[in-house]
Amino acid sequence: MKILIAIDGSGHSHAALDRFAHRLDWFRGTPQVTLVYVHPALPYKRAVAWAGKEAVNAYYEEEGDEALAAARGLLDGRGVAYDVEKRVGEPAHEIVAFAASGGFDLIVMGTRGHTVLESLVLGSVATKVLATCTVPVLLMK
């Protein structure tokens, strides 16, 4: 089973990963785990041009490493093998696209605990993934 775990560096995503890691025995055999982090693209094209492509890519890489550090530490500590994917773009779209193209069987995500009304008004990555994805999604609180 291929499992994609979305990480954004927040306490919510770390807690979700921790809870999920305790439940790996739910699966027959050892699942193939991939952590995905999506950094929103910088909003101003001119700023990217001004800073330079190398500097912007280094920024994305550094931010991704920082957001994934706790998740990597948790999985390393449990002896769970995993792959890492870092992307840039709109998070929900990138997660859904990567899950589809990678042939994943399950997406695991943390939630911030918004009520239904708050999610409708504010929106959330988890809500957008649920609305657009054909891969099953497991939301961990």
Side-chain angles (χ1 to χ4, degrees):
M1 175 169 249
K2 290 180 70 173
I3 300 172
L4 181 63
I5 303 175
I7 299 295
D8 66 2
S10 70
H12 298 286
S13 70
H14 185 73
L17 175 61
D18 186 44
R19 287 186 185 96
F20 182 74
H22 278 91
R23 291 161 177 84
L24 287 174
D25 59 345
W26 283 356
F27 304 96
R28 186 179 329 151
T30 304
Q32 182 182 346
V33 174
T34 300
L35 301 176
V36 64
Y37 169 75
V38 182
H39 194 292
L42 294 175
Y44 303 108
K45 298 267 185 204
R46 290 184 188 198
V48 174
W50 178 80
K53 197 172 196 174
E54 285 181 20
V56 171
N57 288 339
Y59 166 74
Y60 288 142
E61 191 69 25
E62 184 179 308
E63 290 284 309
D65 288 343
E66 187 176 314
L68 289 163
R72 293 179 104 162
L74 188 145
L75 293 179
D76 288 341
R78 294 184 182 276
V80 176
Y82 60 91
D83 294 315
V84 172
E85 176 75 14
K86 296 178 209 170
R87 293 186 159 222
V88 175
E90 196 280 312
H93 173 77
E94 291 296 325
I95 291 166
V96 170
F98 182 57
S101 69
F104 286 91
D105 301 303
L106 179 67
I107 299 172
V108 176
M109 300 180 72
T111 63
R112 297 194 189 281
H114 290 308
T115 65
V116 173
L117 182 59
E118 287 172 326
S119 290
L120 286 172
V121 173
L122 301 174
S124 76
V125 173
T127 302
K128 291 174 186 174
V129 169
L130 280 170
T132 59
C133 195
T134 58
V135 176
V137 179
L138 175 62
L139 298 177
M140 305 286 292
K141 209 169 188 188

